[in-house]
Amino acid sequence: MKKYVLFLMIINAFSSCDVRRKDKVADGTASLTGITAMDSTTIQIIDTAYNFGTVSEGEKVTYNFRFKNNGSKPLVVTDTHASCGCTVPEKPEKPVMPGETSFIKVVFNSKGKVGHNEKTITVVSNANPAFPPLILRGEITPVK
């Protein structure tokens, strides 16, 4: 009986001492997300869509989607990603201060993308309301 009780106590001790932290992310992104949610700001989107027209296959298209921080707190862009690996968005590295204008730089590689193309760029930030999807579209003609 003593062995049984000792065994249960040991099992209980191990199961209650879970050293993994489930409430925080190890790299600190949970605290950054919480801070940006509390300190939200408003933005004015200057460019939401860009039609680059017609380009030859293999050309790279570069465009800067502009926006302005209309709020009273710094705008922090935490992530940008595109609907396709052929499109690479670059976010501002520093917070955009109130009243400042900045941009999301996007580079689209048209190699292997013949025909009509429409790429969506998603921006994650502390803007409230959130950034709308940014659209890059155009036609790619094959190289002859």
Side-chain angles (χ1 to χ4, degrees):
M1 181 71 176
K2 289 181 182 180
K3 289 182 180 180
Y4 181 73
V5 171
L6 180 62
F7 177 73
L8 287 176
M9 289 175 61
I10 291 173
I11 296 284
N12 188 29
F14 280 118
S15 64
S16 65
C17 293
D18 188 4
V19 294
R20 294 175 292 172
R21 296 193 57 173
K22 298 175 185 174
D23 59 337
K24 302 277 185 206
V25 178
D27 64 1
T29 56
S31 61
L32 179 61
T33 304
I35 290 169
T36 57
M38 290 185 333
D39 291 334
S40 64
T41 189
T42 58
I43 55 170
Q44 173 192 0
I45 305 296
I46 300 168
D47 306 305
T48 58
Y50 176 63
N51 187 336
F52 57 82
T54 303
V55 298
S56 297
E57 180 184 7
E59 285 185 47
K60 289 187 178 181
V61 176
T62 302
Y63 188 73
N64 293 325
F65 288 95
R66 299 170 299 158
F67 60 89
K68 181 178 180 180
N69 181 354
N70 284 342
S72 60
K73 306 224 174 158
L75 173 71
V76 179
V77 178
T78 55
D79 189 28
T80 56
H81 55 275
S83 58
C84 176
C86 61
T87 307
V88 180
E90 295 178 21
K91 66 182 181 72
E93 292 302 317
K94 296 180 181 176
V96 180
M97 302 312 285
E100 288 184 355
T101 300
S102 190
F103 59 88
I104 305 291
K105 179 180 178 183
V106 177
V107 178
F108 167 66
N109 185 352
S110 65
K111 183 178 180 183
K113 303 291 181 188
V114 175
H116 178 76
N117 279 267
E118 186 167 308
K119 306 302 175 190
T120 303
I121 297 89
T122 303
V123 179
V124 180
S125 72
N126 65 327
N128 188 13
F131 268 82
L134 306 175
I135 308 295
L136 185 70
R137 66 173 64 99
E139 296 290 326
I140 312 298
T141 57
V143 177
K144 296 179 176 149

